[in-house]
Amino acid sequence: MITIQKKDNLIIVAVIGEFTLADYNEFEQQVLYQSHSDGKTNLLFDWRDMLDYTVDVAWEEVKFMRDHGSEFNRVAVVTDDEWQTWGAWVFNLFIHANVTTFHDYEEAEIWASETE
């Protein structure tokens, strides 16, 4: 399950439980719509409550970042999981945005809300 909200130039995506392909399709549709309405935006992924994700989600994520990564200034990922931190690092291979991982949600939101 995912929740998506927008605060000024920041789109916040929280994943709860398993991140499925249906969730990912909802994410992609909403984020692209919201980001195109205002130009470049920032993303905040809250993965603290994500239990797992399917392989097709991982592949779609790579394709999305390759195709749309230049549309974002900053991407913050909140997680305590080592593999998710590594996955966030992989984002850097496909996008021009500044991607940073955080353990603290408030710190991530402050950083991701800043404009460059």
Side-chain angles (χ1 to χ4, degrees), residues 9-116:
N9 71 324
L10 179 62
I11 299 172
I12 302 169
V13 181
V15 179
I16 302 159
E18 183 178 54
F19 196 16
T20 66
L21 187 56
D23 293 331
Y24 191 84
N25 290 334
E26 180 182 343
F27 152 78
E28 186 174 40
Q29 188 175 49
Q30 287 193 35
V31 168
L32 287 177
Y33 172 76
Q34 292 181 18
S35 67
H36 285 138
S37 63
D38 295 333
K40 279 196 172 189
T41 57
N42 297 331
L43 289 174
L44 170 60
F45 290 106
D46 183 354
W47 290 346
R48 295 173 296 171
D49 294 324
M50 182 169 67
L51 300 176
D52 199 8
Y53 57 91
T54 58
V55 174
D56 49 356
V57 168
W59 177 243
E60 290 300 317
E61 195 169 39
V62 168
K63 290 189 324 185
F64 176 84
M65 287 302 180
R66 183 193 66 217
D67 294 341
H68 302 286
S70 63
E71 298 171 23
F72 304 100
N73 290 318
R74 292 179 174 209
V75 178
V77 178
V78 182
T79 184
D80 291 321
D81 184 273
E82 224 174 285
W83 284 106
Q84 292 171 2
T85 301
W86 182 83
W89 177 83
V90 171
F91 281 162
N92 283 314
L93 301 175
F94 299 99
I95 67 174
H96 300 289
N98 186 355
V99 180
T100 304
T101 58
F102 297 87
H103 296 290
D104 181 81
Y105 180 87
E106 288 76 24
E107 185 181 326
E109 186 174 8
I110 291 168
W111 179 84
S113 296
E114 294 176 3
T115 57
E116 295 183 354

